[in-house]
Amino acid sequence: MAAASRPRASKAESFVDNKRKEDIRSANINAGRAVADAVRTSLGPKGMDKMISTASGEVIITNDGATILNKMDVLQPAAKMMVELSKSQDSAAGDGTTTVVVLAGALLRVCQSLLASGIHPTVISDALHKSCYKSVDILTAMAVPVELTDKDSLVKSASTSLNSKVVSQYSTLLAPLAVDAVLSVIDPEKPEIVDLRDIKIVKKLGGTVDDTHTVNGLVFDKKVSHAAGGPTRMENANIAVIQFQISPPKTDIEQSIVVSDYTQMDRILKEERNYILGMIKKIKATGCNVLLIQKSILRDAVTDLSLHYLAKAKIMVIKDVERDEIEFVTKTLNCLPIANIEHFRAEKLGHADLVEEASLGDGKILKITGIKDMGRTTSVLVRGSNQLVLDEAERSLHDALCVVRCLVSKRFLIAGGGAPEIELSRQLGAWAKVLHGMEGYCVKSFAEALEVIPYTLAENAGLNPIAIVTELRNKHAQGEINAGINVRKGQITNILEENVVQPLLVSTSAITLATECVRMILKIDDIVTVR
């Protein structure tokens, strides 16, 4: 009797509770979608801007997806992945940071309905992976090759990037400026690689964005040291970048020396003077007449006494050059940084025709022009009427520079305005019919998800999204590959003729990064908190 009442240990009847896994998955998906919805309204040329107020009371007005998400304080781990997603798009392509998050949000929405239909996450994930590869092939087939000599195309793509920003009315000025800046720093030996650290953006308050210009030379947002009446303008300058201090030495350990005798005090002061004079004589002997001194944290880089002697020797002094600027400065001036007075030699100096201080707005800047054997670098001086516009102009310019950099590394252009997404959606939909079983069903859903970009573009422009997207589908079905939404006219036109173009790299990296992120979120079925 006892044996009969015992439950049968049968493998078939064991019950596994899947509720928790489903809850975690849907919580993650909802968190990711919430982040995507937050930035969705700022997509496209008619997108809205976000005003971000930080804890410290600082206010930022921006349209850049990466900046918005970066400043958001996101706690949910899956939502953090969306923030990382826009960061990686920012570093990979520089533009399309909002697009990538909106795409990921749409894919997550589709995955949620597929999961609700009872499809296993791994199946969905594999189908996503295949669709992603197929999408990149379709996009590459659509792309138009571009040459770097064709400056018009480069300017068009840079201005497309700028059109969705706060400073869009200045795109006619900023786009050619970005193209010239990037083309001037390309090294002929490595034509594929552009290092944006070779382009220095200096912000100066005052004026309007119209006054932004490139400077063929170096610009510092600093004044020349006026302390002892030294020169503020120097022609035929021999420039030294030094990393040591022109001030009396300190003891290595924290200690105080008590001097009770007046003769000894005189001796100390005399020694200090001789020490500094000795250094300045060595500097003067090489023919150097402009000194750029690195900011020092250990002791004062210069003292009043050394400034006085430098002024007497007719040497111009610019102090507090930031440590991370040193590499850029030495590359531009084609000189070597000098770390010790003993290494101060004439061959380590840079040469320029003119170093002068110029008044700009309410402050002053330092310009070094006519540099001999100048390195492949360029400086852009950005102006703006207030700090918010200035910061946003810098971010927009950075995006435009990134777009040109994309075109240099992968020389293909593709239409904008939702055209590639609709074309992908159409071709993936056709491909899904060929596939068998679950896979075809999943791919079809992803094809529908891609329509979120044109839908959102139309929605943000105040058009009727359903009518616009339907018409767009119809045009593409008739074989007009480059038909897209013309937001300005509020209708469908051939978007290539309207000069709305973007680099291929922006679109392909947006799709690959978004699918990768969504696949990762799908695979998570539990969150373990470790205290």
Side-chain angles (χ1 to χ4, degrees), residues 488-510:
R488 300 244 158 75
K489 294 181 183 164
Q491 62 203 52
I492 309 270
T493 51
N494 183 337
I495 216 82
L496 275 186
E497 289 167 10
E498 300 283 344
N499 298 338
V500 179
V501 286
Q502 59 187 22
L504 173 65
L505 193 61
V506 172
S507 293
T508 51
S509 96

Side-chain angles (χ1 to χ4, degrees), residues 148-178:
L148 290 187
T149 45
D150 179 12
K151 215 167 134 189
D152 262 4
S153 300
L154 300 181
V155 172
K156 279 175 199 167
S157 58
S159 60
T160 304
S161 160
L162 288 165
N163 276 339
S164 62
K165 305 279 184 262
V166 181
V167 289
S168 57
Q169 67 265 39
Y170 302 112
S171 63
T172 46
L173 165 83
L174 294 178
L177 192 137

Side-chain angles (χ1 to χ4, degrees), residues 289-513:
N289 51 14
V290 177
L291 273 186
L292 297 170
I293 304 179
Q294 182 182 316
K295 211 173 198 168
S296 166
I297 47 171
L298 298 174
R299 58 178 209 242
D300 300 334
V302 281
T303 58
D304 289 345
L305 188 63
S306 59
L307 281 174
H308 170 76
Y309 284 139
L310 283 165
K312 276 230 167 114
K314 296 272 186 293
I315 295 177
M316 186 168 165
V317 179
I318 298 101
K319 53 183 189 187
D320 292 347
V321 177
E322 294 292 339
R323 194 185 187 123
D324 45 8
E325 283 180 11
I326 292 284
E327 190 184 343
F328 180 84
V329 171
T330 49
K331 187 172 180 180
T332 309
L333 292 172
N334 205 359
C335 64
L336 294 168
I338 303 166
N340 193 322
I341 186 71
E342 301 306 326
H343 305 155
F344 208 107
R345 297 192 199 92
E347 57 265 26
K348 289 193 177 181
L349 303 185
H351 307 284
D353 293 344
L354 181 63
V355 179
E356 66 169 342
E357 192 179 62
S359 290
L360 248 194
D362 53 354
K364 290 190 169 165
I365 60 163
L366 180 82
K367 276 190 181 178
I368 303 180
T369 47
I371 300 170
K372 298 197 173 51
D373 305 327
M374 182 171 154
R376 290 188 172 274
T377 62
T378 186
S379 301
V380 181
L381 187 63
V382 179
R383 309 293 307 281
S385 49
N386 62 28
Q387 201 59 45
L388 298 176
V389 173
L390 201 57
D391 291 344
E392 183 58 13
E394 184 200 15
R395 279 191 290 270
S396 309
L397 192 59
H398 178 259
D399 274 10
L401 290 170
C402 286
V403 164
V404 185
R405 184 188 68 181
C406 284
L407 281 176
V408 171
S409 57
K410 199 170 184 182
R411 299 176 187 181
F412 285 100
L413 276 177
I414 196 168
E421 283 82 7
I422 280 285
E423 185 59 24
L424 276 181
S425 173
R426 189 183 71 78
Q427 294 203 26
L428 283 179
W431 184 58
K433 289 176 184 165
V434 185
L435 296 170
H436 297 291
M438 286 295 185
E439 211 169 37
Y441 188 67
C442 293
V443 172
K444 184 168 168 292
S445 303
F446 300 139
E448 285 165 15
L450 286 170
E451 290 178 2
V452 72
I453 302 287
Y455 186 92
T456 309
L457 278 176
E459 196 177 42
N460 289 348
L463 310 168
N464 178 354
I466 295 172
I468 289 278
V469 173
T470 312
E471 192 188 338
L472 197 53
R473 262 197 232 130
N474 188 15
K475 282 260 163 70
H476 277 260
Q478 290 164 10
E480 296 181 30
I481 291 188
N482 294 323
I485 302 171
N486 185 342
V487 180
R488 300 244 158 75
K489 294 181 183 164
Q491 62 203 52
I492 309 270
T493 51
N494 183 337
I495 216 82
L496 275 186
E497 289 167 10
E498 300 283 344
N499 298 338
V500 179
V501 286
Q502 59 187 22
L504 173 65
L505 193 61
V506 172
S507 293
T508 51
S509 96
I511 285 181
T512 43
L513 289 172

